[in-house]
Amino acid sequence: MIEFEQLTVPSEGDKIETGDGRMVVPNKPIIPVIEGDGIGRDIMKVTRRVVNAAIQTAYGTEKQIIWFDIYAGENAFEKYNEWLPQDTFKAIEHFRVALKGPLTTPVGGGFRSLNVTLRQVLELYACVRPVRYFQGVPAPVTHPEKMDVVIFRENTEDVYAGIEWEQGTPEVHKVIELLRTEMGVEIRQDSGVGIKPISIFGTKRLARMAIQYALNHGRRTVTFVHKGNIMKFTEGAFCAWGYELAKEEFADVTLTEDELYSDYDGNLPEGKILVNDRIADSMLQQILTRTDEYDVIVTPNLNGDYLSDAAAAQVGGIGMAPGGNLSDDVALFEATHGTAPKYTDQDVVNPGSLILSAVMMLEHIGWQEAADLVIAGLEKTLLQKRVTYDLERLMEGATKVRTSEFGAAIIENFPPPFP
Ligand code: NAP
């Protein structure tokens, strides 16, 4: 039995096991949960209530999540005098699937961000962001319903590796000098310098996860988004290694655009996935003008950062955008917004992002029926225009509800689970 410094494992429930790329989910999985700072309390309470209700409606007493509270951020500092205690990493790693609210980045805590640290220490190499439209949500484009993509953003390399030297320091002068003498590269003396690594290993594991996801979920296209026309050996290589992986491991189910036109007259045959690529700047136009041509998107860290938020904005903003950070063994699902501290404990903010992240979590563990109930309840609640302040101020004729009331409305709007 696993031992923690200051946590007691729930007496009920079992661990989710993984092996051979498969996950074995018990009927009562123990799922660690980080409540989060600021509005974390408001949205986590409601999210747990909605998820519990969906599971009960879908499976009766057969299945249940055993939530296991673990600590990060302010509550960890109170309990452990640390922002991110070892217990927290250990619990997520051991129990494999976890849910997380937003965390404040401590000023002067020696961290770039608690979120980035969690992703890096747990080697959660894929940031997965599904972006789709919910009818009724105010959106800035004429056809928001055309958006239905899942973005796989690399989470450990590129600018996220954070390899930088500050202008004016002895270190940056050393790097500039080394580049001049050893590589023949001239850099202005008053520069700051950053390094952007992209590896075969990091690229191929991400491409593998994305193509496998496309196969498992009946998606038709996987698009590598890169800036390879300018950065040939990082971004360009990312794209080349992506195609290489598709050929090496998924040759029987994938086609390139050239093959699609030369062999199939442009018509994608059943059971095949089209693998293509787009330059990042063009992609930011395409996602707006040819939205429904995109499906699964695979991209290095920085492009993914821009593209995820731009795509989310197109369907009504990041207030409703969910996210998951995944490795082969561990998955941490989280709200994509921050702690919005001015709204803490007021029961007013939109819990949509965390609820949808929990839906991703339910899908990840294969509890699709419960996930579908939450989505159906949410869709109906939005159509009834019973929404929190952020959406109410943009929707004509809407009724403003509290965070808790929004959750209650979703539950009330669950359709009967089985005919
Ligand atoms: P933020 O917390 O996301 O809030 C910015 C604004 O976005 C809020 O004032 C509010 O706008 C709106 N908003 C965010 N979440 C909302 C929700 N659930 N419902 C309705 N409106 C919502 O960003 P921030 O103020 O830049 O960051 C605050 C702290 O959060 C910082 O310490 C930052 O480091 C941290 N952060 C954490 C994460 C994470 O844990 N993943 C992500 C981002 C930031 P209005 O006031 O206009 O309504």
Side-chain angles (χ1 to χ4, degrees), residues 165-177:
W165 293 278
E166 191 180 355
Q167 185 275 326
T169 57
E171 289 78 15
V172 84
H173 287 136
K174 234 189 216 175
V175 175
I176 291 172
E177 200 46 25

Side-chain angles (χ1 to χ4, degrees), residues 4 7-10 30-34 66-70 91 95:
F4 294 98
L7 295 173
T8 310
V9 178
I30 295 175
I31 296 198
V33 50
I34 294 172
I66 308 296
W67 301 104
F68 175 24
D69 284 301
I70 60 172
F95 290 106

